[in-house]
Amino acid sequence: MTNHKIQRRAMRDEQKEERRQAIIDKAWRLFQDTSYESLTMAGVAEALQLAKGTVYLYFKTKEELFLTIEEQQLEAFFAEVDDGLSSISDTEGGAIPSVVELVGRALERRPGLTRLLAILHTILERNIDLETATQFKHMLKAHFERTGSLLEACLSFLEAGEGAHLLLQCHALVIGLWSLADPAPIIREVLQQPDLRMFEVRFAPEFSQALQALLYGLQLSSKEKIL
């Protein structure tokens, strides 16, 4: 193959990747202002002035598109958390508040990611192929292991492998708390009644409180094992 043909192929590949990323970016921006259910592949295509079929050349389903978006947002989330964990020292009892603040802040500044995490298992993983699912889980596994190791370095009461499991528990907290903090419109209206305000949930403070309780519980359990 001549150098000219190689260059043309490289340009085509670069253009394809640019268009793929443009689709991802546009869908992500649209997601900021509407619900997942309201978004359509046709709507994303129209916003980009593309034929609907063009979008399907890059993503077989809407779920695959948003799973890719979630992967990119998770990359940024874990980069921030990993950087922060690297600067937290393992002091007696002092690391827990710092870890809670770091993770809580990283989630709070990414409400779109939190929304996607809440529908990952019930929606996004329901209409994808085996290759896409496998790739996503391997990506998540790599992050859980790396960030989990950093958590174990910050929190001495965590044994090897417990950092990754702690991240899985954090994910469960996100799913449960966001489901309560983001109810259907009719329920939001109902919760305005004074005698039902007890059911209102603010995600950020509730998540931080739950994570803090979990960590102190794990710390206490570790001390009891030693005794």
Side-chain angles (χ1 to χ4, degrees), residues 1-7 9:
M1 184 180 295
T2 65
N3 287 337
H4 183 62
K5 288 183 178 179
I6 294 174
Q7 289 174 350
R9 174 177 291 181

Side-chain angles (χ1 to χ4, degrees), residues 105-144:
R105 187 177 62 244
L107 282 173
E108 189 173 9
R109 74 166 96 246
R110 296 177 173 84
L113 171 60
T114 307
R115 289 169 61 199
L116 287 176
L117 286 171
I119 63 172
L120 173 62
H121 304 296
T122 56
I123 296 177
L124 300 187
E125 292 184 340
R126 298 287 181 175
N127 192 24
I128 54 176
D129 59 28
L130 180 63
E131 181 181 358
T132 300
T134 302
Q135 178 184 338
F136 181 80
K137 289 301 184 183
H138 276 295
M139 177 279 300
L140 206 56
K141 177 176 181 286
H143 279 300
F144 271 35

Side-chain angles (χ1 to χ4, degrees), residues 5-125:
K5 288 183 178 179
I6 294 174
Q7 289 174 350
R8 280 196 302 175
R9 174 177 291 181
M11 287 180 63
R12 285 197 301 270
D13 290 343
E14 183 177 344
Q15 289 168 347
K16 287 180 181 178
E17 182 55 36
E18 287 177 356
R19 175 165 286 182
R20 180 177 183 273
Q21 189 59 48
I23 293 169
I24 293 170
D25 292 342
K26 178 59 69 174
W28 175 242
R29 285 194 293 272
L30 292 171
F31 182 64
Q32 307 309 302
D33 300 318
T34 189
S35 66
Y36 174 84
E37 292 77 14
S38 299
L39 277 171
T40 64
M41 297 288 266
V44 174
E46 182 180 355
L48 286 166
Q49 297 183 326
L50 295 174
K52 184 172 70 172
T54 301
V55 176
Y56 281 106
L57 290 175
Y58 293 87
F59 301 97
K60 301 182 188 74
T61 65
K62 175 182 166 183
E63 290 80 8
E64 182 181 327
L65 168 58
F66 276 86
L67 193 67
T68 303
I69 292 172
E70 183 160 349
E71 180 174 348
Q72 292 190 359
Q73 294 302 313
L74 281 170
E75 293 282 354
F77 168 80
F78 279 114
E80 179 179 342
V81 172
D82 290 354
D83 184 60
L85 289 174
S86 299
S87 62
I88 296 176
S89 58
D90 181 17
T91 56
E92 184 63 29
I96 288 179
S98 297
V99 170
V100 170
E101 181 183 4
L102 171 64
V103 177
R105 187 177 62 244
L107 282 173
E108 189 173 9
R109 74 166 96 246
R110 296 177 173 84
L113 171 60
T114 307
R115 289 169 61 199
L116 287 176
L117 286 171
I119 63 172
L120 173 62
H121 304 296
T122 56
I123 296 177
L124 300 187
E125 292 184 340

